[in-house]
Amino acid sequence: MDAGPHGTAHESGQINIDQPGVLAAYLVERGLIGAAETPEVRTLAGGVSNRTVLVVRSDGSAWVAKQALHRLRVQAEWWCSPQRIHREAAGLRVLNELLPPGTTPLFVYEDHTAHVLVMTAVPQPHTNWKDSLLAGQVDDTHVAQFGTLLGTMHRQGYHRREAISRAFGDTTYFETLRLEPYYRYTATQVPQAASFYAELIDTTARRRLTLVHGDYSPKNVLVHQGDLVLLDYEVIHYGDPAFDLGFGLTHLLSKAHHLPLYRARLAQAARQFWSYYTAALGDVPWQAALEPMAVRHSLGCLLARVDGRSPLEYLSRPERARQRAAVVALMARPPETIDGLVRQFLEGIVCDADH
């Protein structure tokens, strides 16, 4: 087998797109850019599960190339097959069809040997929504879009459920990257939550309703010219839509906990997220049973982001202790509504802080 540029054997998939010169040579070899073209290539910071590189071409257009890692960049041992990049590619293609233009990047290229996905880059200037929220910048229009985008995805996925269930019915990556590190692992770290997680995992496995993003958080949203663009689809699957709601609400509520000066505003954002989501979801048969499950997934994720394999980096040790105590107490008798969840969670962390 011939080695590619810089000693990398392209045909074996043994390339590292982070290495200088490798990605540009790879794009030429694959016929994606001309041999004489010299794009600007820059590694992007961020996620724990992929190498991510920006490619700016001479005509000003830009792509992002992603290559899945086998071992994720977290302190705890966390492994997952690089094949998941092809689930992300499939997710990107279907979301290009289901969601409004401009709310996702466009699919460009996929390589099943090197486990590389290429997509269009979100135009500059843009900001990461997580960074804005942590700076206390809570914009009503962004919250509205966050809820509307998810409701639209779940509604459209439900209406195309026959095709979606065939294409995305395998939940292996959701199990490996979400249920195990978030729910099963956390249950081993917080024994008093074990029965709650066991029931939640069992119920989640039986609720196969629509297309689920699986990583629906502000970190995976860029804001360009006031509009949200949704990224990262490697755990997309046909399953329980309440997981996406719980995952998203967890980030808003954890930031409300972390930022007392903006607590009321972020709490209101959590309620608005739910309101805009339900408006966009419309009349689906499972809507009535959705809210209590969304609360339970929120509690599961709120504790997992303290004691799971991927804790939120911005929570201090005292904040993690408060969040743990508040959530474990709520798991004993979960609220039935999102409003109840928001109110009781914030009461719990304030009460714990007072003691």
Side-chain angles (χ1 to χ4, degrees):
M1 183 184 303
D2 293 333
H6 303 273
T8 60
H10 285 195
E11 293 307 315
S12 70
Q14 300 303 309
I15 69 168
N16 178 346
I17 65 172
D18 277 344
Q19 293 176 349
V22 168
L23 182 57
Y26 170 86
L27 295 174
V28 170
E29 180 184 286
R30 292 294 187 258
L32 296 174
I33 65 174
E37 189 171 344
T38 56
E40 176 189 346
V41 178
R42 176 164 53 89
T43 298
L44 298 175
V48 301
S49 61
N50 298 282
R51 300 182 181 111
T52 308
V53 181
L54 176 67
V55 179
V56 181
R57 304 186 62 190
S58 55
D59 63 2
S61 63
W63 295 338
V64 168
K66 295 181 69 173
Q67 184 178 39
L69 296 170
H70 190 197
R71 188 189 191 283
L72 279 66
R73 299 178 178 123
V74 294
Q75 185 172 355
E77 286 279 310
W78 191 359
W79 301 83
C80 185
S81 168
Q83 292 283 346
R84 69 187 180 276
I85 197 75
H86 309 299
R87 170 56 64 92
E88 176 158 17
L92 176 58
R93 288 191 294 266
V94 77
L95 290 178
N96 285 170
E97 299 175 11
L98 298 184
L99 295 179
T103 56
T104 60
L106 296 176
F107 174 84
V108 174
Y109 179 76
E110 175 185 10
D111 182 344
H112 282 268
T113 301
H115 307 306
V116 171
L117 167 63
V118 182
M119 68 192 82
T120 57
V122 178
Q124 293 285 0
H126 62 249
T127 57
N128 185 278
W129 196 38
K130 172 187 174 181
D131 295 339
S132 298
L133 291 175
L134 284 173
Q137 300 165 9
V138 188
D139 188 309
D140 285 344
T141 61
H142 296 161
V143 176
Q145 290 178 55
F146 194 55
T148 301
L149 198 59
L150 185 62
T152 302
M153 187 183 86
H154 287 172
R155 185 187 74 248
Q156 297 280 33
Y158 173 73
H159 290 315
R160 291 181 52 177
R161 59 192 177 278
E162 290 187 11
I164 294 292
S165 63
R166 288 194 301 270
F168 297 95
D170 184 347
T171 59
T172 299
Y173 300 124
F174 179 63
E175 290 274 346
T176 304
L177 293 171
R178 289 296 171 267
L179 292 185
E180 192 285 326
Y182 282 73
Y183 289 0
R184 291 193 175 93
Y185 179 83
T186 306
T188 69
Q189 304 303 298
V190 189
Q192 57 267 50
S195 61
F196 177 91
Y197 278 119
E199 181 179 351
L200 183 59
I201 291 167
D202 180 66
T203 305
T204 301
R206 291 184 279 107
R207 285 171 57 85
R208 311 272 283 173
L209 301 171
T210 189
L211 187 66
V212 177
H213 184 277
D215 199 5
Y216 202 76
S217 79
K219 172 182 69 70
N220 292 329
V221 171
L222 298 181
V223 183
H224 171 64
Q225 295 183 345
D227 294 327
L228 302 192
V229 184
L230 178 63
L231 309 175
D232 289 357
Y233 326 104
E234 64 186 8
V235 290
I236 199 167
H237 64 284
Y238 184 74
D240 182 5
F243 182 84
D244 278 341
L245 286 162
F247 205 81
L249 284 164
T250 286
H251 287 276
L252 295 173
L253 291 176
S254 295
K255 290 173 179 60
H257 177 190
H258 178 63
L259 300 169
L261 290 178
Y262 305 101
R263 183 166 294 161
R265 184 65 197 87
L266 284 159
Q268 183 61 20
R271 296 183 178 96
Q272 290 173 327
F273 168 51
W274 167 248
S275 176
Y276 281 104
Y277 169 84
T278 54
L281 182 65
D283 187 15
V284 296
W286 35 267
Q287 187 182 48
L290 186 60
E291 192 168 9
M293 276 301 295
V295 169
R296 284 158 175 78
H297 279 295
S298 297
L299 293 174
C301 290
L302 280 163
L303 185 57
R305 298 320 298 260
V306 169
D307 290 309
R309 292 190 189 275
S310 182
L312 291 171
E313 80 289 350
Y314 55 79
L315 291 179
S316 66
R317 182 171 294 183
E319 288 169 341
R320 292 182 186 187
R322 285 200 298 271
Q323 187 148 312
R324 180 186 303 114
V327 173
V328 169
L330 287 173
M331 284 177 167
R333 190 174 180 180
E336 291 298 306
T337 66
I338 300 300
D339 184 70
L341 168 70
V342 174
R343 177 172 45 80
Q344 292 181 49
F345 172 73
L346 295 182
E347 287 173 354
I349 60 171
V350 171
C351 178
D352 192 69
D354 291 341
H355 292 81

